[in-house]
Amino acid sequence: MPALALPDGFPRNVKAIASDLDRTLIAEDYKVHARTAAAIAAARAAGIHVVIVTGRMFRSVRPYVESMGLDDLVVCYQGAVVADPVSGRFLRHITIPLELAREAIVAIEREGFQLNCYVDDFLYIAKMTPEAHAYAEHQRIPLEEVGNLLEWLTSPPTKLVAIGDPAALDGLAGRLRAQFGERLYIAKSLPFFLELASPEVSKGAGLGFAAERLGFSSAETVAFGDGENDFELLDWAGYSVAVANAHAGVLARADFVCPPVQEEGVAQVIEAMLAPRAGR
């Protein structure tokens, strides 16, 4: 396969790669394939930070980070959490205020959507449904059935996720934005997941926190994404790359579009980026 040609404006002195996980770094089989693993290892060997920036909970993304041999900070929960993957310690944790979370639960359950509630890196649901089971399988995590979420919830959650038909969730998102305005961060992570978090939360804010700790700037960062929840991630980075399978809004705002996740497009960009350093 011929090497990917990067555009003339692609940065030369990259100190950090920030990448979304699902549908960007891994495809629908949820596996890190050999080419991607090798490219990430080469980037780390070249002294480049590799930061995974995902909507997933920490316990769900940690096995992927460990499998890739990464020890850089991990941005989880759309940026609500920044964690040390080695110790498991949360360095940043922004929750939804309890009463605001209760108001959101009422609004979502009133419309009949399945709702996931995340507290202290555990997942809780009112009752087991096929959608909840599918979500747990997707995230590879356990979940606990607690009955009435509104009565059960006594601690501020990290995030809430409504699950359903993509078109129905688009309608729900519009109604929730009308009700909550800027009091909540509301965005899709995948077509069938609508995520709610504190308004202080975004992938860009989380990455900014990690960058300050790790010692790189936005101008030195190349970011990769595919979904609506990656807008702020791509906006924060000095250079943004969308995989070809990305949401139309991501494709429109990216500096460059690489091959799709099924062709390990992120790995292809990293290989091309590192080629001059190897003297090729």
Side-chain angles (χ1 to χ4, degrees):
M1 181 182 295
L4 182 69
L6 297 179
D8 292 339
F10 197 94
R12 295 180 176 272
N13 297 313
V14 177
K15 290 190 177 180
I17 291 166
S19 180
D20 171 50
L21 185 65
D22 292 288
R23 292 167 51 94
T24 299
L25 204 60
I26 62 173
E28 284 78 2
D29 62 1
Y30 307 129
K31 295 179 180 178
V32 178
H33 289 275
R35 185 175 187 178
T36 296
I40 287 173
R44 291 298 291 125
I48 298 171
H49 293 287
V50 178
V51 179
I52 302 302
V53 186
T54 178
R56 288 191 183 221
M57 59 198 303
F58 177 63
R59 68 171 58 240
S60 174
V61 72
R62 193 177 194 181
Y64 288 101
V65 173
E66 290 175 342
S67 74
M68 290 183 280
L70 296 177
D71 57 5
D72 280 319
L73 299 180
V74 181
V75 180
C76 312
Y77 289 102
Q78 313 296 1
V81 168
V82 177
D84 179 341
V86 179
S87 68
R89 188 163 66 96
F90 286 10
L91 305 180
R92 166 186 165 100
H93 188 190
I94 307 296
T95 57
I96 304 173
L98 182 57
E99 290 309 310
L100 181 58
R102 289 176 179 274
E103 185 182 347
I105 289 171
V106 170
I108 294 167
E109 289 188 336
R110 183 173 56 221
E111 298 213 26
F113 287 89
Q114 167 69 37
L115 182 63
N116 289 353
C117 181
Y118 300 78
V119 179
D120 295 329
D121 212 33
F122 286 91
L123 170 56
Y124 302 94
I125 58 171
K127 63 180 180 179
M128 184 63 70
T129 65
E131 292 84 2
H133 179 73
Y135 185 91
E137 287 290 309
H138 163 72
Q139 297 276 340
R140 301 182 183 182
I141 51 171
L143 71 167
E144 183 176 343
E145 186 176 353
V146 297
N148 188 308
L149 272 175
L150 201 60
E151 294 178 357
W152 170 84
L153 187 65
T154 58
S155 299
T158 307
K159 73 172 181 177
L160 301 169
V161 176
I163 303 172
D165 171 77
L169 286 178
D170 287 341
L172 175 65
R175 292 187 293 276
L176 290 177
R177 290 187 182 112
Q179 177 177 346
F180 292 97
E182 296 182 356
R183 292 188 294 149
L184 281 173
Y185 168 88
I186 302 170
K188 277 188 172 180
S189 54
L190 295 173
F192 37 86
F193 298 154
L194 181 66
E195 312 224 356
L196 288 74
S198 163
E200 300 173 56
V201 166
S202 74
K203 287 187 174 184
L207 180 57
F209 180 95
E212 186 174 349
R213 292 296 186 102
L214 294 173
F216 61 84
S217 69
S218 59
E220 297 166 325
T221 304
V222 174
F224 297 84
D226 80 290
E228 294 177 55
N229 62 328
D230 292 320
F231 288 171
E232 294 88 354
L233 166 63
L234 299 186
D235 289 346
W236 186 90
Y239 196 88
S240 58
V241 181
V243 285
N245 54 283
H247 180 277
V250 174
L251 294 171
R253 72 203 308 134
D255 295 308
F256 178 59
V257 177
C258 72
V261 63
Q262 295 83 0
E263 297 176 18
E264 298 186 81
V266 175
Q268 293 190 49
V269 173
I270 296 173
E271 291 167 357
M273 183 181 76
L274 295 177
R277 302 187 186 207
R280 295 199 295 262

